[in-house]
Amino acid sequence: MLKLKNVSKFYYSNGVITSGFSRVNLELDMGEFVVITGESGSGKSTLLNVLSGLDTYEEGEMYINGQETSHYSEADFEEYRRKYVGNIFQNFNLVNSYTVYQNVELALMLNGEKSSAVKDKVKSIINRVGLAEYMNTKCSKLSGGQKQRVAIARALAKDTPIIVADEPTGNLDSSSAAEVIKLLHEISEEKLVIIVTHNIEQVERYATRLIKMHDGKILEDKKVNLPQTKAGYETADYKDITAKDRIRLGIRNAFNIPAKFILIFAVFLFVSMAVAGTYSGFQKMEYDDSRYGYNQFFSDTSDKRIVINKEDKTPITDEEFTEIESLENVGKVIRDDTLIDYSMSLSDSEYWYYFYGNFTDIKYFDGELTAGSMPEEPYDIILEGSADDYYLSQDPASVIGTLLYLDEYDENGERKESKPFKVTGVFLNDEMRNGDNNRFYAGEEILEHLRQEAAVSNNNLKFMFEGQYYDVSSGEGGFSIVPDSDVPKGQAYAGGSLGEMSQSGTSKGKEIVINAESIYSEGEMKVTVTAVYNKGNLEELTGVKYTEDKEGAIYVNEEEFNDLVNKGIFQSSVYVSDTEELDNVLESLKEMGFETLAMRDALTSDGQDLIQIIALMKTFMLTVLIVALFFISYFIIKVVLKSRNAYYTTLRTLGASRRVSKQLLDIELFVTATLSFVVFTALIIMINAGILNLSALTEMADYLSAGDYVLIYMIIIAMSYLISHRFARKLFKDSVMNTYREEV
Ligand code: ADP
Ligand code: MG
């Protein structure tokens, strides 16, 4: 059965070589009850470990069933242990956190028997070793003698032809010891039992062979009784533990040591929170920055805003507006949005105050006035500014009543005449940042006037006179087109500058073709110069006072001009009520035939650069964080798992392969990690639902999307897998005995 030929075993530790035993020759057969004795340190344990494949040997030849083993791989020895050897140790090597039943069941499960099918078998084996009443007692609560009987029961369950017992009675009182030996003898029929003991009297009756060791050598080897039988043997038909039982066992292991479970659970929970916290912090930065980024063409970059125009570039109709307004999640629709992005500066006549911002319809004002009152007259306005604005916040009331003028100048640097706006109310808004544009809330009269002005500035104006084009918008020739209600339709009043361009010296009676072109529309109007004005008659013709710089002005009919530059509403702004629904609104608008531009996606300038930097930083920091967290958790979990060393080594002595053991560890950590993730998610859900109020987590909850949770889960699962992998590698890099030794 087993044969050693000149086998030697050396230990290497700290550069010192010690001999475990040397040049041992031995042949053991089925049916023998072999007793090995010898003083401490004589090599008995070493010999048993080599015989049972738990430890390696360095010299000589070992035969198992006539097969030489020097070429055996780790997996071959694993198979040998699994099929042939049941071990019983002086210090039991039971799973203390398991019950008696579970310990015995474990041996059967690891040999591929279904846990659901072995109940009776386990019970009968436990009965056989006399522990029926302790079936569901945890092994940690048993006495030494009872523990050793559990170990025997386990070896029985494994049902191997060889049983190796190293000082099984060493830790037992004499009566327990006698029972254990008797039990071992009982089960030794048709087996090879090898037992190390100091107490020869106890075993003398049963022993078929006595081997005495001294100083690593066999001193004496004598047959004392005849072997019980010399019959053949059968090894159990070995199968791997079933998938279902792997999961069962993994889950059992996750929970069966509460302190360990809580610690690992806490580590994973901490990791989830740390990753989520950092991640959401970046999300918030990115979000804030995208909100405050700016766009060259749009001054209102609210993330709720969508700018729309028709795909076919035609004006938007009233029916379409009604339809848009009735869409879900649409807050307000600003039909004519020209003013939204038409920023202008206002200042008082003394230049004491200076404001830069945009006009908005007073009907959208929903703040609470910090000072003053709501407008009453057509040219009254409300001024909105940041609460952080140093000058405004000093004394908001002092602004009330101030007259503000458009900050526009002519070529001579003189402020252009305009009707002033009167500030009747001031609103300091906490949500605005210092440096943001101001907002001027005004009534329809002001807005209409400004829209016209904006429409002109949004058009590229030029005119043709005597076959020659003059670009008005770029100031060519100092010409300007000025709408005036005093000019009849189809006519124009021109100054001296135009006459100078004419071959005949005068523009009177000649035709001017004015052309206006915007990104949405193009149009023409033909007018005939019916009057040439000069210093003397301008005021009479138009009501406008003459100044020298007005020589280039061409006065045309106001209504006609408006029709030219204002060909309907081509572009509008839709504001969603909830930014999270923005994509849905975009979808609906597109279905209606609109081209859309979400401000959120239009921030191509500084903001975007910053977002890219933040995104890069996010990736980098998260990577660093995860690596750091990995090592921190690894070291914590490693310390915690140290207590699992014994468990996994026990599994190996029971025949679990490296793969199976690692899978069990994987499942154990997976279950714990998943549970901590579930608790983490539950916490967030409760916070979102308002059941729980943890201010530290509330912010975090706001900035995480479903995808982020999946990501966090994947991160901790990957971590648990890596930890398991590293730990298993350490656990299995050595022989079983060395791993045990490290443990003790
Ligand atoms: P026994 O079981 O008979 O008391 P062992 O087999 O434990 O003896 O030890 C045999 C020899 O091997 C002793 O000299 C002991 O010091 C040495 N030895 C045992 N285990 C180790 C080890 N892990 N490292 C180094 N030397 C060891
Ligand atoms: Mg020993």
Side-chain angles (χ1 to χ4, degrees):
M1 177 80 231
L2 289 177
K3 187 173 157 192
L4 300 185
K5 217 168 138 185
N6 283 327
V7 173
S8 302
K9 160 79 192 168
F10 303 106
Y11 289 109
Y12 305 88
S13 61
N14 305 325
V16 186
I17 301 177
T18 2
S19 165
F21 58 80
S22 62
R23 309 185 73 77
V24 164
N25 289 291
L26 196 61
E27 209 174 330
L28 303 171
D29 259 319
M30 290 304 293
E32 288 191 280
F33 193 101
V34 183
V35 173
I36 303 176
T37 58
E39 72 274 22
S40 174
S42 58
K44 307 180 295 292
S45 298
T46 310
L47 180 62
L48 286 199
N49 293 338
V50 169
L51 284 173
S52 46
L54 292 170
D55 220 341
T56 52
Y57 60 93
E58 275 72 36
E59 265 177 28
E61 288 148 31
M62 173 160 123
Y63 297 85
I64 297 171
N65 270 336
Q67 212 183 20
E68 218 277 308
T69 60
S70 58
H71 64 275
Y72 264 34
S73 66
E74 189 197 291
D76 291 328
F77 273 113
E78 246 162 30
E79 171 152 335
Y80 162 64
R81 283 205 302 271
R82 209 153 66 177
K83 277 190 177 170
Y84 288 86
V85 189
N87 283 97
I88 292 164
F89 299 91
Q90 181 177 358
N91 54 2
F92 324 119
N93 288 346
L94 298 176
V95 183
N96 276 324
S97 58
Y98 280 13
T99 63
V100 171
Y101 182 93
Q102 288 170 335
N103 265 283
V104 178
E105 183 196 35
L106 179 67
L108 290 170
M109 280 202 266
L110 288 174
N111 287 285
E113 293 192 46
K114 288 196 186 110
S115 62
S116 52
V118 297
K119 287 201 179 84
D120 291 341
K121 189 164 170 188
V122 173
K123 281 180 192 161
S124 84
I125 294 172
I126 293 173
N127 274 337
R128 191 163 163 202
V129 297
L131 287 175
E133 55 187 305
Y134 297 97
M135 191 94 72
N136 295 314
T137 308
K138 280 204 174 181
C139 284
S140 52
K141 298 214 173 86
L142 298 178
S143 73
Q146 289 165 334
K147 280 183 181 169
Q148 202 57 294
R149 279 190 275 164
V150 178
I152 293 168
R154 197 172 59 179
L156 270 176
K158 229 187 129 191
D159 195 23
T160 50
I162 305 173
I163 288 191
V164 176
D166 190 356
E167 303 194 35
T169 57
N171 285 338
L172 307 183
D173 60 80
S174 57
S175 70
S176 304
E179 273 176 52
V180 163
I181 294 292
K182 193 162 153 267
L183 201 53
L184 277 174
H185 176 248
E186 271 171 35
I187 65 167
S188 70
E189 286 169 38
E190 303 192 359
K191 284 189 196 296
L192 164 59
V193 174
I194 310 166
I195 170 172
V196 166
T197 180
H198 291 293
N199 194 334
I200 303 179
E201 291 94 77
Q202 259 172 358
V203 290
E204 242 173 356
R205 277 197 292 154
Y206 313 116
T208 62
R209 194 157 159 189
L210 271 176
I211 293 173
K212 203 176 257 169
M213 289 192 73
H214 173 72
D215 202 11
K217 299 230 158 54
I218 291 179
L219 205 62
E220 198 183 295
D221 179 359
K222 63 177 182 198
K223 308 215 154 133
V224 281
N225 291 311
L226 277 180
Q228 297 177 323
T229 49
K230 235 189 165 160
Y233 59 88
E234 268 174 42
T235 56
D237 180 18
Y238 185 82
K239 288 195 297 286
D240 248 347
I241 174 169
T242 63
K244 203 171 143 195
D245 281 335
R246 271 173 230 206
I247 294 168
R248 254 177 69 112
L249 214 51
I251 295 174
R252 177 187 292 170
N253 293 344
F255 298 110
N256 79 346
I257 306 174
K260 178 212 70 169
F261 167 73
I262 290 168
L263 264 164
I264 297 181
F265 174 83
V267 169
F268 281 122
L269 191 63
F270 168 74
V271 171
S272 305
M273 299 232 178
V275 173
T278 316
Y279 187 76
S280 65
F282 279 111
Q283 295 284 94
K284 180 169 154 43
M285 262 165 79
E286 229 172 323
Y287 175 77
D288 284 353
D289 228 82
S290 71
R291 238 156 58 89
Y292 291 124
Y294 76 88
N295 180 294
Q296 204 180 338
F297 305 104
F298 300 100
S299 53
D300 177 8
T301 56
S302 157
D303 53 352
K304 292 185 171 173
R305 181 179 177 195
I306 303 170
V307 176
I308 56 165
N309 57 50
K310 296 266 285 287
E311 263 171 19
D312 55 13
K313 303 285 180 255
T314 57
I316 306 170
T317 64
D318 274 347
E319 293 79 62
E320 283 168 328
F321 277 124
T322 318
E323 196 180 335
I324 296 171
E325 276 155 353
S326 65
L327 285 178
E328 230 173 294
N329 300 310
V330 165
K332 62 179 177 188
V333 177
I334 298 196
R335 296 190 176 202
D336 184 349
D337 76 346
T338 36
L339 288 187
I340 299 178
D341 305 305
Y342 193 60
S343 307
M344 51 198 101
S345 33
L346 304 181
S347 54
D348 65 313
S349 55
E350 315 263 276
Y351 297 100
W352 188 260
Y353 292 110
Y354 175 87
F355 301 107
Y356 182 79
N358 305 71
F359 277 88
T360 306
D361 200 321
I362 185 79
K363 73 177 184 224
Y364 296 126
F365 180 75
D366 58 1
E368 213 165 288
L369 286 182
T370 315
S373 56
M374 294 299 283
E376 278 164 12
E377 299 297 322
Y379 266 66
D380 287 353
I381 63 168
I382 289 173
L383 172 71
E384 182 182 86
S386 165
D388 300 332
D389 185 310
Y390 179 75
Y391 291 100
L392 257 186
S393 60
Q394 287 294 302
D395 186 7
S398 67
V399 191
I400 306 297
T402 310
L403 294 178
L404 296 174
Y405 298 84
L406 283 171
D407 232 13
E408 289 174 343
Y409 302 90
D410 60 24
E411 303 90 87
N412 305 324
E414 298 282 326
R415 193 202 281 260
K416 283 188 181 170
E417 275 172 51
S418 69
K419 200 171 169 186
F421 312 107
K422 186 174 159 196
V423 179
T424 63
V426 171
F427 170 48
L428 296 182
N429 188 342
D430 300 328
E431 282 168 25
M432 274 172 118
R433 296 200 308 190
N434 194 7
D436 279 357
N437 278 6
N438 290 112
R439 216 169 277 144
F440 315 116
Y441 291 93
E444 199 44 46
E445 199 172 322
I446 295 178
L447 297 179
E448 190 49 44
H449 173 78
L450 294 171
R451 269 187 215 118
Q452 260 176 40
E453 211 170 286
V456 173
S457 78
N458 283 339
N459 275 277
N460 193 33
L461 278 181
K462 52 188 182 185
F463 67 87
M464 193 170 72
F465 178 68
E466 294 197 341
Q468 176 83 37
Y469 269 113
Y470 299 91
D471 192 333
V472 177
S473 294
S474 67
E476 200 180 332
F479 292 112
S480 60
I481 309 284
V482 184
D484 194 296
S485 52
D486 293 334
V487 184
K489 282 191 180 173
Q491 301 190 17
Y493 302 160
S497 304
L498 190 63
E500 282 166 29
M501 297 296 159
S502 168
Q503 266 134 32
S504 62
T506 176
S507 59
K508 189 153 181 189
K510 302 211 162 104
E511 191 179 62
I512 303 175
V513 181
I514 303 171
N515 180 286
E517 193 183 330
S518 76
I519 47 172
Y520 297 112
S521 64
E522 196 183 347
E524 257 183 22
M525 77 189 239
K526 284 185 190 149
V527 288
T528 310
V529 181
T530 54
V532 173
Y533 63 82
N534 54 39
K535 196 175 177 177
N537 63 358
L538 179 63
E539 198 160 359
E540 189 186 317
L541 282 168
T542 63
V544 180
K545 272 207 184 80
Y546 177 87
T547 51
E548 233 170 71
D549 59 280
K550 294 213 166 77
E551 280 293 310
I554 298 165
Y555 293 88
V556 297
N557 178 267
E558 187 170 8
E559 211 186 313
E560 209 174 2
F561 184 70
N562 271 342
D563 288 345
L564 175 70
V565 293
N566 223 334
K567 296 220 171 296
I569 299 173
F570 292 91
Q571 178 186 302
S572 297
S573 284
V574 175
Y575 289 76
V576 297
S577 48
D578 180 357
T579 46
E580 284 184 21
E581 300 295 336
L582 191 117
D583 287 325
N584 295 331
V585 176
L586 280 178
E587 203 50 47
S588 313
L589 289 169
K590 279 179 187 146
E591 274 168 27
M592 287 172 66
F594 286 105
E595 274 181 353
T596 58
L597 176 69
M599 272 309 120
R600 171 192 76 174
D601 306 324
L603 302 171
T604 48
S605 39
D606 280 7
Q608 205 59 26
D609 293 346
L610 240 162
I611 290 169
Q612 264 164 23
I613 292 168
I614 293 174
L616 267 177
M617 244 169 64
K618 178 170 81 174
T619 317
F620 175 73
M621 298 275 286
L622 275 177
T623 313
V624 170
L625 178 83
I626 289 166
V627 171
L629 281 175
F630 171 75
F631 280 105
I632 295 169
S633 3
Y634 175 70
F635 284 112
I636 297 173
I637 291 176
K638 194 173 98 171
V639 171
V640 179
L641 282 184
K642 195 112 179 116
S643 65
R644 309 296 289 151
N645 251 344
Y647 174 78
Y648 283 101
T649 312
T650 300
L651 286 190
R652 280 173 85 190
T653 63
L654 291 178
S657 69
R658 182 187 187 131
R659 203 169 60 86
V660 166
S661 308
K662 180 170 179 308
Q663 275 173 1
L664 291 176
L665 182 58
D666 286 345
I667 297 170
E668 178 175 341
L669 289 182
F670 174 85
V671 167
T672 316
T674 300
L675 203 72
S676 66
F677 177 76
V678 168
V679 168
F680 165 75
T681 319
L683 277 177
I684 301 276
I685 289 173
M686 288 202 291
I687 290 167
N688 280 341
I691 301 169
L692 208 66
N693 190 11
L694 290 172
S695 54
L697 295 179
T698 319
E699 274 244 308
M700 182 152 104
D702 278 350
Y703 290 94
L704 295 177
S705 66
D708 298 335
Y709 288 103
V710 174
L711 189 75
I712 291 168
Y713 182 56
M714 280 178 0
I715 288 172
I716 61 168
I717 292 306
M719 268 178 70
S720 79
Y721 182 78
L722 277 173
I723 289 170
S724 161
H725 188 78
R726 274 188 75 124
F727 188 73
R729 205 177 56 193
K730 242 191 120 232
L731 203 58
F732 288 96
K733 84 172 179 242
D734 223 337
S735 71
V736 180
M737 274 336 282
N738 280 341
T739 321
Y740 257 136
R741 272 191 287 269
E742 202 175 286
E743 168 61 20
V744 181

